[in-house]
Amino acid sequence: MPCTVIVGGFFGDEGKGKIVAYLALKDRVDATVRTGSVNAGHTVVWKGKTYGLRMVPSAFVYEKCRLYVASGANVNPQVFLKEVEETGVKGRVWVDRHSSIIEAKHIEEDRATGKRIGTTGQGVGPAIADRVRRIARLAKDLPELKPYLADVPVELNRILDEGGKVLVEGTQGTFLSLIHGTYPYVTGRDTTASAVCSEAGIGPKRVTDVVVVFKAYVTRVGKGPLEGELSRDEALRRGWLERATVTGRERRAAPFNFNLAKRAIMLNTATQLAITKIDILYPECSGARTFEELSSEAKRFIREVEEKLRVPVTLIGTGPGVYDVVDRRF
Ligand code: GTP
Ligand code: IMP
Ligand code: MG
């Protein structure tokens, strides 16, 4: 556990937000670091409220957890400040001095040019491009972020040195990776485990666990290939039609893809798997907290995943609530 990385194994929206929130509470995590940017929305259903977090880490639900935004992240200051307010985390949330800033011009450019790929229109790609051109503004250049600035790699490595627990919160999914995904239908950064650690300033030898999160079926927003894609009507019939957290667009859907999953495990060196939304595939499993409570079909599916992918399924999502999890780690 000491340093656990959570990443998505398909095309994002696998339910990383909910898994991170659960782990933070259950394992009493000392710190968490959010990578990526505002194109990714992590949904956390907590104390009767649904949060669609785009900047503040999902681990905010555990009040003792220190919350960090990574050096490699791209910050939209308005979204960050609004979420800090909404979640009430001021005093335990920090942004790395070197994270780069999304400005209005980036959003305009993304909206004007992003249709070819079906981007989220949040300005992330253009902001990253400016960082690569070495003309980006950084968090340390913005007066409104001054109270939140920190040297995040130093803090995270200090917490680990002192025997603390750190979660690295990945965003999006393996096949949206700029390097390993379905280029050009990808996001502007590498989304795999090595890359999110690099964004956070955590070296590869510090990582103890990599949890790859898969949904019990595959969804994808925006353009790009999706093997076995169902018609909208069929997705609706199966209860697989979802809406994106950030843009409200419909997510395309397909059955669980073992070949993609195998590749995601290789690219991320998964040590554990989480499978979310088992309750959507098998409604009778809704709210289950133990493996025994799952139906025999659901158990068979989990066993098939473990046999074919050769990595233990340690966490199973049985509903949207933070504690709707079967935890097989203990
Ligand atoms: P990105 O970082 O944008 O890739 O998002 P994410 O991986 O955090 O997932 P997101 O919150 O966008 O989408 C997952 C959806 O599934 C949300 O609506 C969650 O509330 C919901 N969810 C997560 N786990 C479960 C589960 O086990 N069962 C059910 N029914 N819903 C779940
Ligand atoms: P961008 O990241 O906004 O440039 O979008 C590039 C591609 O990644 C588009 O297909 C988006 O739909 C997709 N994408 C970006 N972020 C997310 C996410 O968090 N969940 C799902 N898809 C995403
Ligand atoms: Mg999402």
Side-chain angles (χ1 to χ4, degrees), residues 28-48:
R28 298 173 177 271
V29 163
D30 298 285
T32 184
V33 56
R34 160 126 187 186
T35 61
S37 190
V38 288
N39 42 5
H42 287 191
T43 311
V44 178
V45 180
W46 178 240
K47 294 191 175 166

Side-chain angles (χ1 to χ4, degrees), residues 134-154:
R134 271 67 48 96
I135 57 171
R137 296 179 81 196
L138 301 182
K140 66 180 170 59
D141 304 324
L142 263 57
E144 67 267 39
L145 291 181
K146 207 158 181 209
Y148 301 96
L149 295 182
D151 185 334
V152 171
V154 164

Side-chain angles (χ1 to χ4, degrees), residues 153-231:
V154 164
E155 300 232 355
L156 294 174
N157 282 283
R158 177 183 51 77
I159 291 166
L160 287 169
D161 288 342
E162 290 168 355
K165 296 177 190 165
V166 172
L167 276 182
V168 183
E169 214 178 294
T171 38
Q172 301 142 336
T174 298
F175 300 102
L176 285 178
S177 164
L178 178 66
I179 315 271
H180 300 290
T182 54
Y183 190 89
Y185 300 103
V186 293
T187 191
R189 57 189 266 278
D190 185 8
T191 52
T192 59
S194 321
V196 301
C197 289
S198 161
E199 278 185 27
I202 291 176
K205 286 180 73 178
R206 294 225 85 144
V207 174
T208 35
D209 264 301
V210 177
V211 181
V212 173
V213 185
F214 294 117
K215 202 180 270 183
Y217 45 96
V218 184
T219 59
R220 175 163 203 169
V221 201
K223 296 187 181 165
L226 179 60
E227 204 186 317
E229 182 169 357
L230 303 178
S231 67

Side-chain angles (χ1 to χ4, degrees), residues 12-18 41-43 172 245 251 277 279 317 319:
D13 308 320
E14 297 90 352
K16 294 175 291 296
K18 176 265 198 49
H42 287 191
T43 311
Q172 301 142 336
T245 316
R251 292 175 178 159
K277 293 212 157 185
D279 56 304

Side-chain angles (χ1 to χ4, degrees), residues 10-327:
F10 288 143
F11 297 95
D13 308 320
E14 297 90 352
K16 294 175 291 296
K18 176 265 198 49
I19 294 293
V20 165
Y22 170 78
L23 290 176
L25 286 160
K26 181 74 187 173
D27 295 357
R28 298 173 177 271
V29 163
D30 298 285
T32 184
V33 56
R34 160 126 187 186
T35 61
S37 190
V38 288
N39 42 5
H42 287 191
T43 311
V44 178
V45 180
W46 178 240
K47 294 191 175 166
K49 201 172 159 188
T50 301
Y51 297 85
L53 298 166
R54 301 165 60 198
M55 286 263 72
V56 165
S58 304
F60 86 92
V61 295
Y62 178 47
E63 311 137 1
K64 290 188 182 153
C65 190
R66 296 166 72 88
L67 311 170
Y68 295 99
V69 176
S71 323
N74 287 276
V75 175
N76 176 321
Q78 286 86 34
V79 174
F80 172 76
L81 294 171
K82 190 166 153 269
E83 286 186 4
V84 169
E85 187 80 19
E86 191 189 352
T87 51
V89 293
K90 195 163 184 190
R92 63 178 178 108
V93 66
W94 295 272
V95 175
D96 190 77
R97 303 160 310 162
H98 295 153
S99 56
S100 52
I101 300 299
I102 299 174
E103 298 177 62
K105 63 178 181 184
H106 298 132
I107 298 171
E108 276 164 35
E109 186 186 335
D110 199 9
R111 296 207 167 141
T113 62
K115 293 199 177 57
R116 184 173 64 95
I117 304 299
T119 68
T120 59
Q122 299 300 309
V124 181
I128 293 172
D130 273 2
R131 190 170 190 168
V132 175
R133 288 190 199 107
R134 271 67 48 96
I135 57 171
R137 296 179 81 196
L138 301 182
K140 66 180 170 59
D141 304 324
L142 263 57
E144 67 267 39
L145 291 181
K146 207 158 181 209
Y148 301 96
L149 295 182
D151 185 334
V152 171
V154 164
E155 300 232 355
L156 294 174
N157 282 283
R158 177 183 51 77
I159 291 166
L160 287 169
D161 288 342
E162 290 168 355
K165 296 177 190 165
V166 172
L167 276 182
V168 183
E169 214 178 294
T171 38
Q172 301 142 336
T174 298
F175 300 102
L176 285 178
S177 164
L178 178 66
I179 315 271
H180 300 290
T182 54
Y183 190 89
Y185 300 103
V186 293
T187 191
R189 57 189 266 278
D190 185 8
T191 52
T192 59
S194 321
V196 301
C197 289
S198 161
E199 278 185 27
I202 291 176
K205 286 180 73 178
R206 294 225 85 144
V207 174
T208 35
D209 264 301
V210 177
V211 181
V212 173
V213 185
F214 294 117
K215 202 180 270 183
Y217 45 96
V218 184
T219 59
R220 175 163 203 169
V221 201
K223 296 187 181 165
L226 179 60
E227 204 186 317
E229 182 169 357
L230 303 178
S231 67
R232 185 183 180 278
D233 282 352
E234 181 57 18
L236 192 62
R237 197 186 64 75
R238 296 189 190 190
W240 295 4
L241 199 69
E242 304 175 2
R243 271 194 188 279
T245 316
V246 175
T247 58
R249 291 183 290 180
E250 280 183 2
R251 292 175 178 159
R252 301 151 61 197
F256 192 90
N257 186 323
F258 283 96
N259 289 331
L260 280 185
K262 232 176 234 170
R263 193 170 175 85
I265 285 167
M266 174 190 76
L267 292 167
N268 294 295
T269 59
T271 60
Q272 300 177 38
L273 305 181
I275 306 278
T276 61
K277 293 212 157 185
I278 198 84
D279 56 304
I280 302 294
L281 237 50
Y282 308 104
E284 65 281 7
C285 300
S286 179
R289 302 270 169 101
T290 63
F291 193 70
E292 289 64 43
E293 285 173 76
L294 299 182
S295 63
S296 41
E297 288 88 348
K299 283 181 187 149
R300 203 173 309 134
F301 175 64
I302 298 295
R303 290 195 179 113
E304 184 189 1
V305 168
E306 291 188 320
E307 269 160 35
K308 289 192 171 153
L309 302 178
R310 305 235 154 258
V311 183
V313 175
T314 51
L315 300 160
I316 303 167
T318 58
V322 168
Y323 283 115
D324 290 333
V325 173
V326 172
D327 187 344

